Amino acid sequence: MGSEPCTGNDRKPPRPFATRTADLHFGSECSAAAGWRVSGVHVLFPAVADGQRPKAERMLATRAFRLVGKRALSTSVCLRGGHGVAKVEDYSLPAYFDRRENPLPEIKYVQELSVEQRSLKEKEKGSWTTLSNDEKVALYRISFKESFAEMDKGTGEWKSVFGGILFFIGFTGFVVLWQRKYVYGDVPHTFDPEYKQKELQRMLDMRINPVQGISAKWDYENNAWKK
């Protein structure tokens, strides 16, 4: 709903505070004598004289946009985390990576230990002479996924990459052959040797590029190419 027009004849005397439920229209004649609701928030301001309308309108605009900004900010905070508490995502936490330049990752490889692993960790606190080689390897696998020897060991990934490249090259060649047979037409007659010879003779007769071009290399007296 828009605001009602206000003229000089039917304007009522200003009241100390006036409220009005309507859309926000800055710069109207009645804006200095009415309050506006912005997104459900009532804005009240005193009625002023005609000479103070621009200042009052600026104050109205500043206060209205401040209330709208606060309400939008509070709404976005509630939607994101609920009651202003932000949720911590998994990507913001430390992650595990096997890299030679970083031999000690930020976290261990196994985060949730099983019953056997818990008992093994308790046994680890004692003397290591009582641990077998398999138990030592199991303890290592809790903290790390791969050893340096396993990280240096080559993988067969290059085979799949090379095979994929050959596949796409072969598929491209197949598409080109199919286009030449079913899409493209016959070779134009302008590529025939006889037509090309006539075209060359026509260029010589017209003396095209006589300074440094093809006509400059033709001997017109002997009808032969210059040596």
Side-chain angles (χ1 to χ4, degrees):
M1 295 177 60
S3 58
E4 297 179 358
C6 182
T7 59
N9 298 329
D10 57 354
R11 185 187 305 173
K12 296 181 181 180
R15 293 172 294 177
F17 284 90
T19 60
R20 188 167 185 167
T21 301
D23 296 333
L24 185 60
H25 298 284
F26 299 108
S28 62
E29 295 182 359
C30 303
S31 60
W36 305 94
R37 184 176 65 182
V38 182
S39 298
V41 179
H42 286 277
V43 181
L44 303 178
F45 61 95
V48 295
D50 294 341
Q52 298 180 357
R53 282 179 185 170
K55 184 177 180 180
E57 290 177 358
R58 289 195 298 269
M59 293 175 60
L60 167 65
T62 303
R63 185 173 180 183
F65 284 120
R66 187 182 294 115
L67 291 175
V68 172
K70 289 182 179 179
R71 181 163 183 172
L73 181 60
S74 62
T75 304
S76 63
V77 170
C78 293
L79 289 177
R80 288 177 56 189
H83 305 289
V85 179
K87 180 182 178 182
V88 180
E89 302 294 342
D90 293 337
Y91 56 80
S92 63
L93 300 176
Y96 178 88
F97 294 100
D98 279 324
R99 295 184 179 180
R100 292 183 57 84
E101 62 273 11
N102 186 17
L104 297 177
E106 297 180 358
I107 59 176
K108 295 183 178 181
Y109 176 63
V110 180
Q111 295 296 311
E112 298 180 0
L113 301 179
S114 61
V115 178
E116 297 178 357
Q117 291 174 339
R118 290 194 187 95
S119 61
L120 189 60
K121 292 293 290 184
E122 291 295 331
K123 190 176 180 180
E124 179 188 14
K125 298 178 182 179
S127 176
W128 276 53
T129 57
T130 59
L131 297 175
S132 62
N133 292 333
D134 294 338
E135 291 176 341
K136 293 178 182 179
V137 172
L139 288 172
Y140 180 86
R141 295 300 181 183
I142 293 176
S143 300
F144 306 99
K145 179 182 178 181
E146 295 180 349
S147 61
F148 278 94
E150 293 173 344
M151 285 189 286
D152 294 338
K153 184 179 179 181
T155 62
E157 186 179 1
W158 67 272
K159 298 179 182 179
S160 59
V161 174
F162 185 71
I165 293 174
L166 293 180
F167 170 77
F168 282 107
I169 291 176
F171 180 76
T172 304
F174 174 78
V175 171
V176 171
L177 294 176
W178 178 80
Q179 288 179 343
R180 292 190 62 179
K181 183 173 181 61
Y182 297 100
V183 178
Y184 301 143
D186 298 334
V187 179
H189 68 282
T190 54
F191 287 89
D192 295 338
E194 297 179 359
Y195 187 91
K196 300 296 291 183
Q197 185 65 29
K198 294 180 181 180
E199 182 181 10
L200 177 60
Q201 186 62 41
R202 179 63 175 171
M203 294 173 64
L204 294 175
D205 294 342
M206 296 177 64
R207 296 180 181 270
I208 296 178
N209 295 331
V211 180
Q212 295 181 346
I214 186 173
S215 297
K217 300 177 182 180
W218 179 258
D219 189 355
Y220 287 91
E221 295 181 356
N222 299 322
N223 291 329
W225 295 106
K226 294 181 180 180
K227 298 181 179 179

